């Protein structure tokens, strides 16, 4: 890995993190309730985008360096599965069994399905 590629991935990660912070705030300001819809929507959309990106790269429409910068960098900062896991545990500790289970399984299944869909769509190109 070249120094320029490393710095590009790091900068993209910072932009992804800033985007997550901004969008999570926007979503939280418009939703209420037990579920953390901001984290859920960011992880689901990030999974779809990473699937698309991977599909485009596997179809050789994008070079591997773009995949690293956007995928590992930007989308790595944009998504936050550790926060999703923390929020699932918090819900279960509060004895909100249905919400905790829906959050944990919903994000896991939904993110995997959307990544697969994105990969499939990206591979069609």
């Amino acid at each position: 890995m070249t120094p320029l590629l490393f710095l590009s991935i790091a900068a993209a990660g910072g932009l992804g993190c800033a985007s997550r912070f901004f969008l999570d705030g926007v979503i939280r300001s418009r939703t209420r309730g037990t579920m953390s819809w901001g984290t859920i929507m960011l992880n689901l959309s990030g999974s779809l985008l990473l699937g698309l990106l991977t599909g485009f790269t596997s179809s050789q429409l994008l070079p591997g360096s773009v995949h690293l910068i956007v995928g590992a960098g930007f989308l790595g900062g944009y998504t936050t599965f550790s926060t999703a896991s923390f929020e699932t545990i918090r819900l279960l500790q509060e004895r909100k069994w249905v919400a905790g289970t829906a959050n944990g399984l919903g994000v896991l299944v939904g993110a995997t399905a959307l990544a697969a869909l994105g990969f499939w769509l990206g591979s069609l190109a």
Side-chain angles (χ1 to χ4, degrees), residues 21-84:
F21 181 77
F22 173 76
L23 291 172
D24 184 54
V26 169
I27 295 167
R28 284 180 190 266
S29 72
R30 289 169 170 71
T31 59
R32 299 186 193 270
T34 304
M35 302 296 280
S36 179
W37 291 109
T39 302
I40 292 168
M41 296 308 299
L42 289 165
N43 284 333
L44 294 177
S45 64
S47 294
L48 176 65
L49 291 171
L50 185 57
L52 278 168
L53 182 68
T54 304
F56 291 150
T57 304
S58 70
S59 297
Q60 299 181 351
L61 293 173
L62 291 174
S65 59
V66 172
H67 188 261
L68 286 172
I69 294 167
V70 177
F74 182 82
L75 293 173
Y78 178 83
T79 58
T80 176
F81 284 96
S82 59
T83 301

Side-chain angles (χ1 to χ4, degrees), residues 86-97:
F86 171 79
E87 290 169 352
T88 298
I89 296 300
R90 179 187 53 80
L91 289 168
L92 294 174
Q93 286 176 333
E94 293 174 359
R95 301 188 187 286
K96 296 177 180 172
W97 308 113

Side-chain angles (χ1 to χ4, degrees), residues 3-17:
L4 180 59
L5 181 58
F6 176 81
L7 292 173
S8 298
I9 293 168
L15 289 172
C17 185

